[in-house]
Amino acid sequence: MTDSLDSIAVLVVGAGIMGSGIAQVAAQAGHRVLLFDSKPGAAATARTKLETTFNKLIAKGKFSEQSGRQTLERIDTVDNLEASSKVGLVVEAIVEDLAMKRELFSQLENFVSKDCLLATNTSSISVSAIANGLKFPERLVGMHFFNPVPLMKLVEVVSGVHSDASTAETIFALAESWGKVAVHARSTPGFIVNRIARPYYAETLALLLEQAATPAQLDACLRGAGFRMGPCELMDLIGHDTNFAVTQSVYAANFFDKRYAPSLIQQQLVDGGLLGRKSGRGFYDHDDRQQVSKSSFARPDSPPSADNVELHGNGPVADRIAASLDQQDCDYHRQDDSDWQGLQVAEQQLRLSDGLVASQLGKDIALFDLPLGTEPGSALAWSHSSRASQQWINDVPQWLAFLGFSAHLVADTPGLVVARTIAMLINEAADAVQQGVCSEADADLAMRLGVNYPVGPFEWLAAWDSNSVIEILDNLDRYYRGERYRVSPWLRQQAWHNP
């Protein structure tokens, strides 16, 4: 490029929500921005809305009046693509349609200078496919922003097979100069975020399909693990039509790998027009639903029974239980050499889930989910053997409350809720790293910033361990007998290197 990064003019093609947001952040970074949309009047309407946005930001003190006006003045609308001859970067933000994107970039090559870089904001289409057929495909990369663009920090800089490394580095630096956090990704289905995030929705949809829990229970348990929104709430917010379409796209692009298979539950919602907030109803009725207040939690002063209490196993969960029992002055004996973590009260056991179901393990057996929540009263799923006594079924929620958790009874299903979801997120991230899609650090960064995960998948793995994750996935695989839960070779290699 002949211009320095801070002086190039930018053409944004597409004046919808994403395009307008990209125009705003580019203008705020000091660039002259041209906004184009093929629909007559759309660009002018978008600029009027941006003026309203800047007025609100000025009123809130986010900008001085002078700064806000100057930023808005840097945004102009144009009515043809010939204006691209004056810019150093074109960012495309039109509909997710491969043919339309190819046609647009082919037209742009008739006008742009030889030094002009091209970027596509696609969230799911192959950058390699978009660049195919261009005269200079090496100057096209993905520049995937997240909605709302002015607020979301992450930008995935996506390289296709044609993309020049220097082009990707230039766009990476430009994104950071716009106040964003950039990560490099290779153009594979879903890139980083939309790929790694699939199990967050898929495991919940699978549990709903087998009637293991309700949407409210699943959301509560995953919020209890630190997620800002549960998967059912989030799918209602995104829109089931949008979420389902992305899932179908990733599934087809991966040659119908069963790991990415869409859900009949979500298809039924889409077929019935129950799209979530946009239609008023999805998993929840958003027309009638009242704001849910945080339920109060009272920790019992004593357990239901303190006779013959043993704490089994070694590991962070056993240590956490020990700390809780010590804090509550509960007498117990510790069995460090056990191959499971949890409590035994007389002949009854409350065990950390390892991917088996309670009914496989014995009579008075109950399982509890991976306890990632740190707040008192965090929701925690549990299940019990079909042969458990009613007394033990009654006692387990009281024991979990004594340990600081709000108990949510779900069906006797392998991996419960959080354990299987986190294991699958780690597994998907491991495959992405092995296939060269991204680095471990970029996977963690992308998931924290792109979808607001409490930590990244490899940070979860570091706090857990490869063998425990593999054990859960292998047990899920044996239970369901399919390809979905196959373990990433990268993860198995980690276990061999760190036994």
Side-chain angles (χ1 to χ4, degrees):
M1 295 180 67
T2 57
D3 295 322
S4 64
L5 289 178
D6 59 1
S7 64
I8 63 169
V10 179
L11 171 66
V12 178
V13 181
I17 293 174
M18 296 301 292
S20 296
I22 294 167
Q24 179 181 332
V25 297
Q28 287 175 189
H31 297 271
R32 179 175 177 240
V33 179
L34 304 179
L35 187 58
F36 171 80
D37 197 287
S38 60
K39 181 180 178 181
T45 299
R47 192 184 185 283
T48 300
K49 290 180 180 178
L50 284 171
E51 184 173 8
T52 300
T53 297
F54 279 110
N55 286 336
K56 290 178 179 178
L57 293 172
I58 291 168
K60 292 179 179 179
K62 302 292 185 182
F63 289 99
S64 68
E65 185 163 353
Q66 180 181 10
S67 176
R69 298 299 171 207
Q70 288 175 341
T71 301
L72 183 63
E73 288 170 3
R74 285 194 284 270
I75 303 174
D76 292 314
T77 62
V78 294
D79 57 11
N80 60 69
L81 292 177
E82 292 181 18
S84 62
S85 63
K86 306 172 184 177
V87 305
L89 170 68
V90 179
V91 182
E92 167 270 310
I94 65 172
V95 296
E96 286 288 271
D97 182 278
L98 175 59
M100 293 179 67
K101 290 180 187 292
R102 275 181 171 171
E103 174 62 23
L104 171 63
F105 284 112
S106 179
Q107 291 180 42
L108 285 166
E109 282 199 316
N110 294 321
F111 306 113
V112 298
S113 70
K114 62 182 179 62
D115 294 323
C116 181
L117 298 186
L118 306 177
T120 172
N121 182 52
T122 182
S123 61
S124 60
I125 298 175
S126 166
V127 174
S128 301
I130 295 171
N132 186 18
L134 294 181
K135 298 173 187 174
F136 304 104
E138 66 276 3
R139 62 175 167 180
L140 174 69
V141 297
M143 195 177 189
H144 181 212
F145 293 84
F146 290 76
N147 190 31
V149 175
L151 298 180
M152 297 296 284
K153 285 289 189 181
L154 185 70
V155 173
E156 291 179 320
V157 178
V158 186
S159 295
V161 294
H162 304 288
S163 302
D164 190 87
S166 64
T167 301
E169 289 298 339
T170 299
I171 295 299
F172 187 99
L174 183 66
E176 297 211 317
S177 75
W178 290 5
K180 300 301 182 183
V181 177
V183 293
H184 283 293
R186 189 164 62 85
S187 184
T188 56
F191 311 144
I192 303 175
V193 172
N194 280 331
R195 172 184 177 159
I196 295 176
R198 299 334 298 164
Y200 189 63
Y201 314 111
E203 291 309 303
T204 279
L205 290 166
L207 288 165
L208 289 171
L209 187 63
E210 60 187 72
Q211 302 184 78
T214 66
Q217 285 180 309
L218 295 165
D219 282 347
C221 290
L222 283 154
R223 284 198 310 271
F227 291 91
R228 292 188 185 181
M229 295 185 73
C232 296
E233 295 172 303
L234 185 53
M235 284 184 277
D236 270 13
L237 176 64
I238 294 168
H240 289 283
D241 51 345
T242 301
N243 190 263
F244 188 61
V246 172
T247 302
Q248 288 180 301
S249 174
V250 172
Y251 182 47
N254 280 285
F255 305 108
F256 305 101
D257 186 332
K258 297 300 183 185
R259 181 179 288 174
Y260 309 104
S263 166
L264 290 172
I265 291 286
Q266 194 163 48
Q267 183 180 34
Q268 289 168 0
L269 290 172
V270 173
D271 289 347
L274 305 180
L275 306 181
R277 291 191 185 183
K278 66 174 72 176
S279 69
R281 186 178 164 198
F283 286 119
Y284 300 102
D285 187 338
H286 295 277
D287 292 331
D288 298 332
R289 195 179 182 210
Q290 297 180 344
Q291 184 70 29
V292 178
S293 59
K294 187 176 180 181
S295 59
S296 59
F297 173 74
R299 190 170 186 172
D301 293 329
S302 60
S305 171
D307 295 332
N308 302 318
V309 178
E310 294 183 347
L311 172 58
H312 287 257
N314 260 317
V317 174
D319 290 344
R320 179 173 177 176
I321 293 173
S324 184
L325 294 174
D326 291 339
Q327 184 183 25
Q328 298 286 89
D329 293 324
C330 179
D331 291 331
Y332 65 96
H333 174 69
R334 186 157 186 174
Q335 297 279 6
D336 288 330
D337 57 351
S338 296
D339 60 359
W340 57 276
Q341 296 181 70
L343 289 178
Q344 180 164 332
V345 182
E347 300 303 316
Q348 303 159 131
Q349 295 179 356
L350 176 57
R351 303 169 60 142
L352 174 66
S353 174
D354 60 0
L356 297 175
V357 296
S359 298
Q360 287 179 268
L361 297 171
K363 179 177 180 292
D364 274 334
I365 303 292
L367 301 176
F368 64 94
D369 210 347
L370 183 66
L372 296 180
T374 56
E375 294 292 320
S378 295
L380 190 70
W382 72 282
S383 65
H384 62 77
S385 168
S386 58
R387 293 169 286 155
S389 67
Q390 190 59 52
Q391 184 60 54
W392 187 228
I393 293 171
N394 293 340
D395 284 353
V396 169
Q398 297 179 58
W399 268 108
L400 290 174
F402 182 71
L403 296 174
F405 300 101
S406 174
H408 287 254
L409 177 61
V410 302
D412 187 19
T413 189
L416 297 177
V417 180
V418 174
R420 70 192 281 171
T421 300
I422 300 299
M424 284 294 281
L425 289 169
I426 291 170
N427 199 49
E428 193 59 50
D431 263 359
V433 168
Q434 183 173 50
Q435 294 164 13
V437 176
C438 59
S439 67
E440 295 171 47
D442 278 357
D444 284 341
L445 195 59
M447 301 314 290
R448 289 200 311 270
L449 297 181
V451 279
N452 292 315
Y453 282 7
V455 299
F458 294 101
E459 292 169 315
W460 274 314
L461 180 60
W464 208 353
D465 68 88
S466 301
N467 286 302
S468 295
V469 176
I470 290 169
E471 182 179 35
I472 285 178
L473 293 172
D474 279 342
N475 284 331
L476 283 162
D477 187 52
R478 280 189 286 269
Y479 185 89
Y480 288 108
R481 298 292 185 186
E483 302 172 30
R484 180 190 185 100
Y485 298 103
R486 67 182 184 275
V487 175
S488 168
W490 185 96
L491 202 55
R492 288 207 190 274
Q493 289 167 3
Q494 289 296 114
W496 295 332
H497 292 322
N498 303 288

